[in-house]
Amino acid sequence: MASPLIGYLVLAALLFAIGLAGALTRRNAILVLIGIELMLNAANLNLVAFWRFGPHPEALTGMMFAIFSIAVAAAEAAVGLGLVISIYRHAQTADLDQMNRMKG
Amino acid sequence: MSPIFYVLAVLTVAGGLAAVLLKNTVHCALALTVAFAGLALLFLNLDAQFVGFAQILIYIGAVAILVVFAILLTRGTETPQAGVFSRSWFVGLVIAAGVFSVLGWAVLQSARVLPQPSAIPSVTVHDIGVALLGRYVLPLEIVALLLTSATIGAVIVAMHEKGRPQ
Amino acid sequence: MLAAPVSTHSVPVIVDQAFVLFKDWLVSFLPPSWRPAAGVVLCVIAIVCVFPGLFALTTVFERKGLGRMQNRYGPNRVGPYGFFQPVADGIKSLTKEDVVPLNADVVVHFLAPLTLVVTVFMGFAVLPMGRNMVLANLDAGLLFFFSMSAATELSVFMAGWSSRNKYSLLGAMRAVAQMISYEVPLLLTTVAVVMIAGSLSLPKIVAAQSGYTGVFPHWYIFTPWGLASFLVFAIAATAETNRSPFDLPEGESEIVAGYHTEYSGFKFALFFLGEYLAMFSISGIGVTLFLGGWSAPLSFLNVVPSWFWFFSKVMVSIFVFIWMRGTLPRLRQDQLMNFAWKFVLPFTLLNLGVTALWRFMGEGWARWVVSSVILVGVYVFMGRVGMFKKHFGPRSYRYAE
């Protein structure tokens, strides 16, 4: 019998790929951030799945990683969206294809 | 593999796909919350109650709201003329597909050596609290510092520049 | 289960546990493997029936009470003393035409009221409504409650954005900004309770408060930090449920009806229901955290069953909501935000420190004096700083010329 961990790992890989594709293909800076959030969440899913099906779940290591990762992701979202708003104020657009100048 | 897992997996992947494919930016953000909710339910399915509820509280209650606020503040609701995908979309898609195939291959290759599931761990919130303030107290303090600096940084970045007409 | 201290006049078990025993009796007709699931379904049915019933009752009491506060009769035409008014209102909203604006985002417009009501109902699952009367005794019950109430914010945004109406969008942005700002102090006040009770499980928090000294209960509101937390909690809860004086999201003199401007018929009724259910659930959590949940206010009153105390405490706090609505004028947006971030949040953070001090000073009168002095001193100091250069004198009026 295959370990149920396989399903979670494949799902996390799929979510990571979806997030990566979103981050690499969208024009809008906010949607790039959405893709990054998806990638972070896929990593969290991996951490929790490894904690649950690992040999020592009582050590709580994977779960602690997931908790810290959620906290860091919240800070990342706040700073990232603050940057997007700041760029929008400066360039009047959130379109990444138009942000190709080094000089403001 | 329980049927619940498949239902939740389909929900999460559908939410994630919609979040990167839809045209309207607000719809993307709402689809992202569906993906977050699916992930929270997956955490509950993995007996990680605390992480699941924290996921709902932080991602749906805070990050999703931040995203929609940012969309409205940058007039993101208007669909741009040039299309929603960037000029180099094909390269991005190839890279993502490559990453997925490598990851999937690695997972399937290691299927034999994966550990068999152990008994359901009984982790109370009390245990998590003890671990946070015991073994993991240094990371906790670093996260506290990080969150403080992120709060200050986000305020400074988004603050109106003085003397500039808005 | 939770052993409550039994006083000499303890209530007969058959009355106190009437609903639990009734549920067990109904479930006993089923085969054993079905019993847990059937028990949960029965509890859900009870919650889904009781709270909308209370909602109907509350609407008529609110309108009558507000009427009395404004020197007029409330509704008094339908049925005896107008008590069948909610029935008439219900029939009206069910038979009304459901108008959806032409440009509206139909799917999101339809989903918004549903997600609101569903997430609000989920919050009731962890509230202990009497001894042994809790649907889901979760270890992280408090976290579950607040994660559900955080999810309601998104449905408010969905309603406002999908209507394609500037008043709806303004109302939704106001509502979300207000809810996020006041959610921080709301969560921090509950952290103080968690620090003392040592658990996130709501039945355990109630059990921690169910002792008595003489005839007086050990509720957290009767401690300096508890009183300060409760006052902040009450303010934040009023703001969180968008009730007056924090009802800017639906300020009818400025933005018609806020985020539900474009809703009519049954969908509007769902928003109305969701708003009142949020009031019930936040009152329930306040009662559980600070007012001893289902425990009796005086030890000899234990003859009255526990569920009676829970529901009467909730109804008293609903009365306070209505009273405030009849008394206080609406705040301005800048006053609202300044109050949240410059006064309530620092005060709550300080209160957390005081709570930690209370926990580590041990028994004795010293901790009462120290924490009271710190809290009152800081309150007065912050009030002075906040009032500085504000020149609150007699109000001067400027009339149109």
Side-chain angles (χ1 to χ4, degrees):
Chain A
M1 183 198 126
S3 167
L5 187 53
I6 294 276
Y8 286 98
L9 294 184
V10 172
L11 174 65
L14 188 57
L15 268 183
F16 187 88
I18 291 173
L20 186 62
L24 291 179
T25 58
R26 295 301 294 240
R27 271 170 182 266
N28 193 319
I30 293 169
L31 284 161
V32 173
L33 267 171
I34 286 181
I36 293 172
E37 289 294 334
L38 272 178
M39 282 154 48
L40 273 167
N41 270 290
N44 278 352
L45 182 61
N46 257 356
L47 292 170
V48 176
F50 275 122
W51 162 76
R52 171 66 182 79
F53 298 112
H56 297 293
E58 69 282 351
L60 289 177
T61 315
M63 202 183 207
M64 284 298 145
F65 260 89
I67 289 172
F68 286 123
S69 146
I70 288 176
V72 171
E76 175 257 330
V79 174
L81 292 169
L83 281 173
V84 172
I85 289 172
S86 168
I87 290 172
Y88 176 78
R89 284 228 188 93
H90 198 72
Q92 295 301 314
T93 179
D95 188 336
L96 290 175
D97 279 5
Q98 288 176 29
M99 280 173 218
N100 45 13
R101 286 176 305 163
M102 295 288 276
K103 201 173 164 193
Chain B
M1 275 308 130
S2 61
I4 297 175
F5 168 76
Y6 287 110
V7 172
L8 294 179
V10 168
L11 179 78
T12 311
V13 170
L17 273 178
V20 299
L21 289 179
L22 286 178
K23 276 211 166 58
N24 190 320
T25 324
V26 176
H27 285 171
C28 293
L30 295 178
L32 182 72
T33 57
V34 174
F36 287 157
L39 275 161
L41 293 174
L42 278 170
F43 290 157
L44 295 183
N45 195 28
L46 282 167
D47 306 307
Q49 217 182 55
F50 189 84
V51 182
F53 295 156
Q55 166 95 5
I56 299 178
L57 185 66
I58 291 171
Y59 277 100
I60 298 181
V63 172
I65 296 281
L66 267 180
V67 168
V68 292
F69 255 79
I71 290 171
L72 292 184
L73 285 175
T74 56
R75 296 179 187 277
T77 45
E78 297 154 14
T79 315
Q81 302 293 319
V84 292
F85 294 104
S86 87
R87 278 193 294 271
S88 54
W89 65 272
F90 187 72
V91 182
L93 203 62
V94 169
I95 293 174
V99 166
F100 176 65
S101 47
V102 169
L103 283 177
W105 176 77
V107 167
L108 293 180
Q109 282 301 301
S110 57
R112 290 174 296 104
V113 294
L114 284 178
Q116 282 304 308
S118 45
I120 297 173
S122 67
V123 175
T124 60
V125 180
H126 186 259
D127 297 338
I128 296 175
V130 168
L132 270 180
L133 288 179
R135 196 169 160 208
Y136 298 95
V137 69
L138 194 62
L140 184 76
E141 294 298 323
I142 294 170
V143 163
L145 268 180
L146 176 83
L147 286 177
T148 313
S149 54
T151 317
I152 298 170
V155 168
I156 289 174
V157 163
M159 203 160 52
H160 285 286
E161 287 173 40
K162 278 195 178 139
R164 266 178 66 131
Q166 293 301 325
Chain C
M1 281 308 286
L2 305 163
V6 181
S7 73
T8 44
H9 313 279
S10 186
V11 58
V13 174
I14 186 82
V15 183
D16 189 42
Q17 298 293 299
F19 298 112
V20 179
L21 292 174
F22 181 62
K23 184 197 83 180
D24 289 345
W25 177 75
L26 276 183
V27 166
S28 65
F29 289 107
L30 290 168
S33 58
W34 290 16
R35 281 179 194 170
V40 170
V41 170
L42 277 179
C43 292
V44 170
I45 290 173
I47 287 175
V48 170
C49 292
V50 165
F51 283 97
L54 270 181
F55 154 70
L57 214 67
T58 307
T59 51
V60 64
F61 274 123
E62 169 158 28
R63 292 173 66 181
K64 286 181 100 65
L66 278 181
R68 291 292 169 176
M69 286 175 201
Q70 296 162 354
N71 270 341
R72 58 184 170 86
Y73 301 105
N76 61 356
R77 290 291 150 213
V78 193
Y81 299 102
F83 271 104
F84 290 159
Q85 186 67 37
V87 181
D89 288 345
I91 293 171
K92 185 194 78 172
S93 64
L94 270 173
T95 51
K96 245 179 161 179
E97 187 191 356
D98 179 29
V99 183
V100 179
L102 188 64
N103 286 327
D105 197 312
V106 181
V107 180
V108 182
H109 192 264
F110 173 76
L111 283 177
L114 287 184
T115 47
L116 179 75
V117 171
V118 169
T119 48
V120 170
F121 262 124
M122 301 269 270
F124 287 107
V126 289
L127 282 184
M129 299 171 199
R131 199 174 275 124
N132 301 337
M133 281 166 69
V134 55
L135 170 52
N137 188 357
L138 294 178
D139 193 33
L142 194 63
L143 195 67
F144 175 82
F145 182 87
F146 283 111
S147 61
M148 284 304 128
S149 77
T152 57
E153 287 162 20
L154 208 69
S155 57
V156 168
F157 169 80
M158 283 160 70
W161 176 78
S162 66
S163 296
R164 295 282 195 280
N165 175 322
K166 61 184 168 196
Y167 298 123
S168 298
L169 190 59
L170 281 174
M173 295 310 265
R174 281 186 180 191
V176 173
Q178 174 177 327
M179 284 160 113
I180 288 214
S181 307
Y182 280 91
E183 197 175 317
V184 180
L186 191 75
L187 280 168
L188 286 176
T189 53
T190 62
V191 169
V193 173
V194 173
M195 277 162 71
I196 298 292
S199 176
L200 283 172
S201 155
L202 293 174
K204 277 185 189 155
I205 290 174
V206 175
Q209 301 177 66
S210 58
Y212 293 91
T213 307
V215 293
F216 298 107
H218 289 171
W219 296 355
Y220 288 144
I221 191 175
F222 297 130
T223 56
W225 63 268
L227 183 63
S229 301
F230 177 73
L231 292 177
V232 173
F233 181 90
I235 293 168
T238 317
E240 193 79 0
T241 48
N242 299 337
R243 290 284 299 186
S244 180
F246 300 101
D247 58 346
L248 293 107
E250 35 202 276
E252 50 281 274
S253 56
E254 302 151 22
I255 50 172
V256 192
Y259 54 87
H260 49 63
T261 302
E262 293 290 0
Y263 280 90
S264 57
F266 192 59
K267 287 184 196 156
F268 175 75
L270 281 181
F271 268 111
F272 204 52
L273 174 71
E275 200 170 298
Y276 275 81
L277 287 179
M279 238 161 80
F280 290 132
S281 73
I282 206 113
S283 302
I285 204 92
V287 163
T288 306
L289 292 176
F290 299 104
L291 301 177
W294 41 255
S295 62
L298 295 169
S299 64
F300 54 83
L301 288 176
N302 263 328
V303 287
V304 183
S306 55
W307 39 268
F308 174 80
W309 288 119
F310 178 81
F311 281 101
S312 35
K313 284 173 195 173
V314 168
M315 289 322 277
V316 166
S317 56
I318 297 292
F319 170 72
V320 175
F321 272 121
I322 295 170
W323 191 10
M324 281 200 292
R325 182 175 167 190
T327 311
L328 294 172
R330 186 179 297 142
L331 267 75
R332 264 193 342 249
Q333 189 75 28
D334 61 322
Q335 292 171 333
L336 179 92
M337 286 298 161
N338 282 342
F339 184 61
W341 293 104
K342 293 186 183 165
F343 183 83
V344 176
L345 184 60
F347 188 69
T348 319
L349 285 173
L350 183 102
N351 187 37
L352 273 186
V354 171
T355 313
L357 205 64
W358 173 274
R359 172 81 175 71
F360 286 108
M361 276 178 82
E363 295 288 326
W365 56 269
R367 64 178 185 176
W368 286 81
V369 176
V370 170
S371 40
S372 308
V373 166
I374 294 177
L375 284 171
V376 172
V378 169
Y379 175 77
V380 171
F381 174 74
M382 282 172 65
R384 290 276 158 189
V385 170
M387 296 285 188
F388 190 63
K389 281 186 181 171
K390 282 265 167 69
H391 304 301
F392 284 111
R395 186 174 291 182
S396 62
Y397 293 95
R398 278 188 305 166
Y399 296 100
E401 286 159 13

